[in-house]
Amino acid sequence: MTHDDQAFDDILQQAEQLGPLPMAVAHPCSREALMGAVESADHGIARPILIAPQVKLKKLAEELGVDLTRFETIDVPHSHAAAEQAVALVRDGYADILMKGSLHTDEFMTEVTARSSGIRTERRISHVFIMKVESYPRYLFITDAAINIEPDLTAKRDICQNAIDLCHALGIARPKVAILSAVETINPEMRSTIDAAALCKMADRGQITGAILDGPLAFDNAISREAAATKGIVSPVAGDPDILLVPDLESGNMLAKQLSYLAAAASAGIVMGARVPIVLTSRADDSNGRLASTAVANLLAHGKQRRESLA
C-alpha cells in the first residue's frame, strides 16, 4: 500500500504549531506501532507514554535502533493489561490522546468501552477514516468502517455527528454529508434508504447540527456531479461530499480498503465519541498513517482544551 508522504502535510503542520500532548500508547510491540509513536515525538505532536511488557519493548527498540530512554515507559505483563493501563491514564487525566499499538481492536476497545472503568461519553463511539484520494480535490471522511457493525438510526445519528465534529476540528465549517445506499430513492425494503431519509429530517430539526446532509445517494451520485445530473438528482451534496456515511461496517470497510489498495489513497484513522481522541489504525498500516492519525488527534485534543478553558 503506497502512502503519499505529503498527503496530510497541512494537518501535520497545524499539529506541529500547536505542540505536543501526552499520548498513552497501548502495546507498541510491532515495528509500525513503535515507529508511529516515535515519529509523533520526533515531529513534536505527541509525548508518547509506552505501555508494554518491557522485555518485549526493549528487544524491539534495540532491533529498530530506538532510544527508549527518551520516553516514559510502563511495564505490564501482556497486551490486555497494556490496554487497561492506557485507558486508566486517560481516565485519570494523565494523557490527552490514546493510541492503539499492536493488539487486536476488540481487545483494545473492550477496555475503552468498559462500563465502570472505560472512557465513554453519552455519545456513541465511532471510527472515521480520513482519506486522501488523488482523483478527489480534498479529504474524504468515511464512517463507520471499523467499530459499529450494523448501526441503527440512533447510532447513525451519533456516527454522523462525530464525523461532523471531526470536520469542524479540521477547519471544515459546514461539511457536506452523503448518506450512502445502493439507490437514491426511498425503498421500504432497504433499511439504509429509510435511515438516510430520517437522518436528513433529523438535521432539519436540529438533532444533527453543523453540516449539510443528503441521502440516500448511491456512491456514483454521491461522488460525481455528472452521475447525479444524469439521474436528475438535485442535491447540495451530490458530487461534492466531505463525509461518506456508510450503511454498515462491511460496506464501509470494503470502500476504505478499495480506496487504499486500488486507488493508492493515503489514510488516517481516528475514533470519536470517547473522552479523548483515539488513534486507531489497522495493524497493517505504516507509520505514515499512524503519524497522520496522531496529528488529527492532536488537533482534536487541542480543540477540546480550548473549549474547556472557555467553558
Side-chain angles (χ1 to χ4, degrees):
M1 181 166 25
T2 62
H3 275 284
D4 176 2
D5 287 357
Q6 276 76 53
F8 297 99
D9 263 8
D10 55 333
I11 292 174
L12 192 52
Q13 281 165 10
Q14 275 179 276
E16 285 169 355
Q17 283 164 4
L18 289 168
L21 291 169
M23 175 172 76
V25 188
H27 205 255
C29 294
S30 70
R31 180 198 157 82
E32 286 72 22
L34 182 56
M35 291 315 293
V38 170
E39 284 175 28
S40 69
D42 291 345
H43 280 268
I45 59 173
R47 285 196 300 279
I49 303 154
L50 308 175
I51 305 148
Q54 292 299 290
V55 176
K56 208 171 182 182
L57 187 60
K58 280 181 178 149
K59 185 170 177 288
L60 178 65
E62 275 165 27
E63 284 167 19
L64 299 175
V66 170
D67 175 14
L68 279 183
T69 60
R70 297 170 52 197
F71 306 109
E72 185 175 346
T73 59
I74 297 176
D75 188 18
V76 290
H78 42 64
S79 59
H80 193 90
E84 204 175 320
Q85 182 65 50
V87 168
L89 290 183
V90 166
R91 206 176 51 245
D92 298 341
Y94 196 70
D96 296 319
I97 301 169
L98 181 60
M99 178 187 253
K100 177 180 92 92
S102 56
L103 72 171
H104 201 278
T105 298
D106 286 351
E107 185 178 16
F108 178 72
M109 290 308 296
T110 298
E111 289 305 319
V112 169
T113 57
R115 286 268 170 226
S116 57
S117 59
I119 49 170
R120 310 169 75 116
T121 63
E122 70 289 346
R123 185 85 63 82
R124 181 70 166 250
I125 285 175
S126 62
H127 181 275
V128 188
F129 274 114
I130 303 132
M131 309 206 78
K132 193 77 188 81
V133 192
E134 290 261 318
S135 57
Y136 198 70
R138 56 183 181 281
Y139 294 119
L140 268 175
F141 298 78
I142 297 173
T143 192
D144 178 346
I147 290 180
N148 293 284
I149 298 172
E150 280 192 71
D152 61 12
L153 182 60
T154 311
K156 283 181 183 175
R157 188 215 80 87
D158 283 0
I159 290 166
C160 186
Q161 192 66 60
N162 281 341
I164 293 164
D165 291 353
L166 173 57
C167 284
H168 291 168
L170 298 180
I172 304 163
R174 273 189 80 70
K176 295 181 175 181
V177 184
I179 307 161
L180 297 185
S181 182
V183 293
E184 62 286 338
T185 49
I186 310 292
N187 178 343
E189 289 179 25
M190 291 178 74
R191 201 190 86 193
S192 62
T193 67
I194 302 276
D195 284 354
L199 288 165
C200 291
K201 191 43 74 180
M202 289 167 97
D204 291 345
R205 295 287 186 266
Q207 290 170 275
I208 297 168
T209 58
I212 300 163
L213 276 65
D214 196 22
L217 289 168
F219 184 77
D220 55 345
N221 313 320
I223 232 64
S224 157
R225 276 206 178 89
E226 291 72 27
T230 305
K231 291 197 173 171
I233 297 166
V234 180
S235 161
V237 171
D240 194 33
D242 298 286
I243 297 167
L244 298 176
L245 188 78
V246 298
D248 54 37
L249 184 140
E250 287 165 311
S251 56
N253 200 282
M254 286 177 207
L255 173 57
K257 285 180 178 164
Q258 280 163 356
L259 290 174
S260 287
Y261 285 88
L262 291 176
S267 70
I270 204 89
V271 171
M272 301 287 293
R275 281 198 224 168
V276 300
I278 301 172
V279 178
L280 185 78
T281 48
S282 158
R283 280 169 296 172
D285 274 0
D286 61 14
S287 56
N288 276 346
R290 288 170 195 269
L291 181 63
S293 305
T294 307
V296 172
N298 173 295
L299 297 187
L300 281 160
H302 273 291
K304 179 173 176 269
Q305 287 181 351
R306 268 197 310 280
R307 284 195 306 280
E308 283 169 359
S309 68
L310 292 170

